[in-house]
Amino acid sequence: MANSLRYFVGNWKMFGVPGSYKILDKINQFYHKDQKNKNKYKIIMAPPDTLIYDFSKRFKNKKIIISSQNCYHQDLFGPYTGKVSPFMIKRLGVNYTLLGHSECRSAGETDEIIKKKFSLALKNNLKVIYCIGENKIQKRTKSTVKVLKKQILKVISKNNNFNNIIIAYEPIWSIGSGSIPSPSELKKNITILKNFIVKKFRIKSHPKFLYGGSVDKNTIKHFKSIKELDGFLVGGASKSSKNFIDIIKNFYK
Ligand code: PGA
């Protein structure tokens, strides 16, 4: 079940100006010096739309892969003020998009809308990092697995290619809060979900799963032993090169 290639994904949310490429420069330099471990992981960064063109050009032949944070679902072009389609994102040289982040869901994105985004993104050759997660009440009432399975089934369908999908499990109660799930609980849930997907979608190997929610240089230690995790989606700590690099360093320490 364990995949030895790990993903360290940063989500900048609404952060960054053109000069913020320097943060990525430092992460890129660290990567090149990290002889011992650099073949064991990939780095993906999701800056806001205002920066993805510049950053994707700048880091084209470097280690950092650029992702968008979201995309629009109705069409390739059209009368949708303020929206950006997966077609437009792909033309910038960007190969990934996040979808279904809980902050987008709480701003009104339903599973139905996310499903449309998901299909259109994959159709336009964007790989998708699909975020799922339960809220505090759902956790308290022990509905976590049920909620996560539903989020998976509402959006992913049998004809989707799991080579182009990464699932990011981000408990809503954990995002930006400093609280994390216990490693045993996390391991158990990821294992259940990976097996569920294999069975349900009749795929041969386990899908990739990231964990997100208050990942930083300290909490990363608790996740090291969870072989079922294929990586991490990092919000707050991805805005500083030092914090992000420390996460990678501490993971492999
Ligand atoms: P956090 O955010 O690392 O700041 O908790 C994670 C996310 O929202 O993707």
Side-chain angles (χ1 to χ4, degrees):
M1 181 182 272
N3 184 345
S4 54
L5 183 71
R6 294 264 169 16
Y7 293 79
F8 292 90
V9 184
N11 173 13
W12 276 11
K13 308 187 181 186
M14 196 174 75
F15 166 82
V17 291
S20 308
Y21 75 86
K22 289 179 194 143
I23 297 169
L24 299 196
D25 257 356
K26 287 189 188 137
I27 296 171
N28 189 56
Q29 281 161 20
F30 161 78
Y31 168 77
H32 283 285
K33 284 194 211 134
D34 189 16
Q35 294 300 340
K36 193 158 157 243
N37 297 312
K38 71 177 183 183
N39 295 326
K40 297 184 190 158
Y41 61 90
K42 279 183 191 278
I43 296 171
I44 303 176
M45 274 294 165
D49 282 354
T50 47
L51 301 176
I52 57 178
Y53 182 53
D54 180 33
F55 286 14
S56 66
K57 270 197 307 185
R58 211 178 264 278
F59 293 94
K60 197 169 174 202
N61 299 316
K62 309 217 166 103
K63 178 65 183 177
I64 298 171
I65 300 162
I66 300 299
S67 170
S68 70
Q69 296 176 8
N70 204 347
C71 61
Y72 197 57
H73 54 281
Q74 295 287 19
D75 217 336
L76 307 187
F77 298 120
Y80 307 107
T81 303
K83 306 297 183 198
V84 178
S85 73
F87 176 83
M88 293 156 79
I89 292 165
K90 181 69 191 178
R91 288 304 173 283
L92 303 178
V94 169
N95 290 321
Y96 280 85
T97 186
L98 303 181
L99 286 179
H101 193 281
S102 60
E103 287 154 14
C104 305
R105 290 182 193 259
S106 69
E109 272 188 18
T110 60
D111 287 333
E112 289 67 34
I113 294 173
I114 298 165
K115 187 179 173 67
K116 286 188 186 164
K117 292 181 182 225
F118 192 85
S119 306
L120 199 59
L122 290 173
K123 214 166 144 188
N124 283 278
N125 299 316
L126 286 181
K127 292 181 193 255
V128 175
I129 300 172
Y130 175 45
C131 305
I132 58 173
E134 86 285 11
N135 65 28
K136 220 182 206 157
I137 297 166
Q138 291 162 335
K139 177 179 164 55
R140 205 180 301 136
T141 54
K142 302 200 183 325
S143 322
T144 298
V145 170
K146 195 173 133 212
V147 169
L148 301 178
K149 282 182 178 173
K150 191 168 159 233
Q151 289 172 339
I152 290 166
L153 292 177
K154 285 272 186 182
V155 169
I156 306 179
S157 50
K158 283 214 166 71
N159 57 3
N160 292 140
N161 181 351
F162 272 88
N163 290 329
N164 298 328
I165 301 167
I166 299 176
I167 299 178
Y169 169 45
E170 296 204 298
I172 300 168
W173 51 269
S174 171
I175 294 175
S177 68
S179 306
I180 54 165
S182 76
S184 60
E185 190 186 353
L186 183 56
K187 184 183 169 83
K188 194 176 104 209
N189 288 343
I190 297 292
T191 307
I192 292 173
L193 294 170
K194 282 194 166 187
N195 290 334
F196 168 74
I197 290 175
V198 165
K199 222 168 140 199
K200 197 82 200 169
F201 296 92
R202 302 214 182 103
I203 52 172
K204 289 202 178 67
S205 49
H206 284 107
K208 293 182 191 69
F209 259 83
L210 313 181
Y211 168 75
S214 295
V215 176
D216 62 26
K217 64 179 180 212
N218 298 314
T219 58
I220 191 74
K221 295 177 210 136
H222 301 289
F223 305 122
K224 278 164 69 159
S225 64
I226 309 176
K227 304 270 179 300
E228 290 76 8
L229 279 180
D230 301 281
F232 303 92
L233 179 51
V234 184
S238 69
K239 296 184 288 190
S240 141
S241 53
K242 179 166 182 342
N243 287 345
F244 195 76
I245 291 167
D246 281 349
I247 289 172
I248 300 175
K249 278 188 185 162
N250 288 347
F251 183 79
Y252 288 107
K253 202 142 96 188

